Amino acid sequence: MQRLLFPPLRALKGRQYLPLLAPRAAPRAQCDCIRRPLRPGQYSTISEVALQSGRGTVSLPSKAAERVVGRWLLVCSGTVAGAVILGGVTRLTESGLSMVDWHLIKEMKPPTSQEEWEAEFQRYQQFPEFKILNHDMTLTEFKFIWYMEYSHRMWGRLVGLVYILPAAYFWRKGWLSRGMKGRVLALCGLVCFQGLLGWYMVKSGLEEKSDSHDIPRVSQYRLAAHLGSALVLYCASLWTSLSLLLPPHKLPETHQLLQLRRFAHGTAGLVFLTALSGAFVAGLDAGLVYNSFPKMGESWIPEDLFTFSPILRNVFENPTMVQFDHRILGITSVTAITVLYFLSRRIPLPRRTKMAAVTLLALAYTQGPVLFNFTFKISDLDEGIRNI
């Protein structure tokens, strides 16, 4: 990790950096060139970076500092992706409601003795999930779901440390420009908000609902907000990282390029909306309602799309409508990605842009069949359990 983030110190001792370490010579009298003023956060020598940071030690040149910050944000985006994946596994194993309280420091130490485990299990037994769904659960089974939720929470704390501690270090060293300071503050604030939102979501599944005997679930609205904020954090970190690590390509601003760029932005928004729709599917277990494709049951348009009143409530709370909307959005997203790929083929683009378009197309056509087959198996398993 040290070699990844920080370049070797002997690189600063090479000949190419000797002029930077040496004091500047006075400008020649016969030189009539004009020295342009530097923008805020831009430095011409290592010594200026050191002076700007308020320290007398030698710091990194601006380009090297940008590479370090870019690699750090790339690692951050990877940890966020891991948190999303781990959260999905926690959701599939129905482990999210196993920890019935939240403490920033106290809960970092798991139960160790038999008495502590029994006390934790007794707290879980006081909430709806045990009373309605898991009333015959053993302590061994409880330990499994508890550790699943525990690992998700501890990973979230790791994400917070990966963002906040290096950010404070880079800020003190003066390696962040004025604009980058604003971005880093926003990212760190979003990490903290994400943690609070996660507990706010879990809390909705722990509440007693006297008028309902359905399986306890977290609010689909809070689940969508939790997933959406995680996706925003991931995309913002990755975008900022790549903007620092990859040199920008200067392409002529043609009409075709502008059209491609706008269509790419629209496609990204559509994919984001599809992901949020998937959160509503997960929150309502709507994926188990119909397990056939392309039809839903025996019809293209099911009859129970508008069973709730008012009509707008069906979009967010009717499992049939939620699954129907998710299917439409998924098909539309794949279509838009396909069109984006063919539009990119008509324009001379850099190699990495073409590779990104091909990868996006391959992922789009791979994800659909895999998710449908997985949902179909889960639906069959759920139906078999209910018939026992």
Side-chain angles (χ1 to χ4, degrees), residues 2 6-14 17 58 60:
Q2 184 177 5
F6 298 96
L9 292 178
R10 60 174 174 270
L12 298 178
K13 300 178 182 180
Y17 290 103
V58 175
L60 291 178

Side-chain angles (χ1 to χ4, degrees), residues 66 69-74 77 179-180 183-184 187 233-246:
E66 286 183 358
V69 174
R71 292 169 185 171
W72 161 60
L73 290 175
L74 188 62
S77 64
M180 189 57 61
R183 293 191 186 185
V184 168
L187 292 175
L233 178 62
Y234 168 76
C235 293
S237 301
L238 183 62
W239 183 278
T240 305
S241 170
L242 296 181
S243 66
L244 294 174
L245 294 176
L246 299 179

Side-chain angles (χ1 to χ4, degrees), residues 78-133:
T79 61
V80 175
V84 173
I85 295 172
L86 189 56
V89 174
T90 304
R91 175 70 188 174
L92 290 174
T93 55
E94 298 182 346
S95 307
L97 301 179
S98 58
M99 298 180 68
V100 296
D101 51 10
W102 187 87
H103 301 283
L104 182 61
I105 304 299
K106 182 180 178 181
E107 71 180 25
M108 294 179 68
K109 180 182 179 297
T112 54
S113 64
Q114 183 69 16
E115 292 77 12
E116 291 178 348
W117 274 115
E118 290 178 354
E120 189 73 23
F121 192 27
Q122 289 177 1
R123 281 195 293 270
Y124 173 69
Q125 294 173 1
Q126 300 172 9
F127 289 87
E129 185 175 68
F130 177 83
K131 297 177 181 179
I132 299 176
L133 182 63

Side-chain angles (χ1 to χ4, degrees), residues 80 156 159-161 163-164 186-196 233:
V80 175
V159 173
L161 293 177
Y163 271 91
I164 295 174
L187 292 175
C188 292
L190 189 55
V191 169
C192 298
F193 172 75
Q194 177 74 359
L196 296 175
L233 178 62

Side-chain angles (χ1 to χ4, degrees), residues 6 91 140 153 376:
F6 298 96
R91 175 70 188 174
T140 302
R153 294 193 183 191
F376 183 78

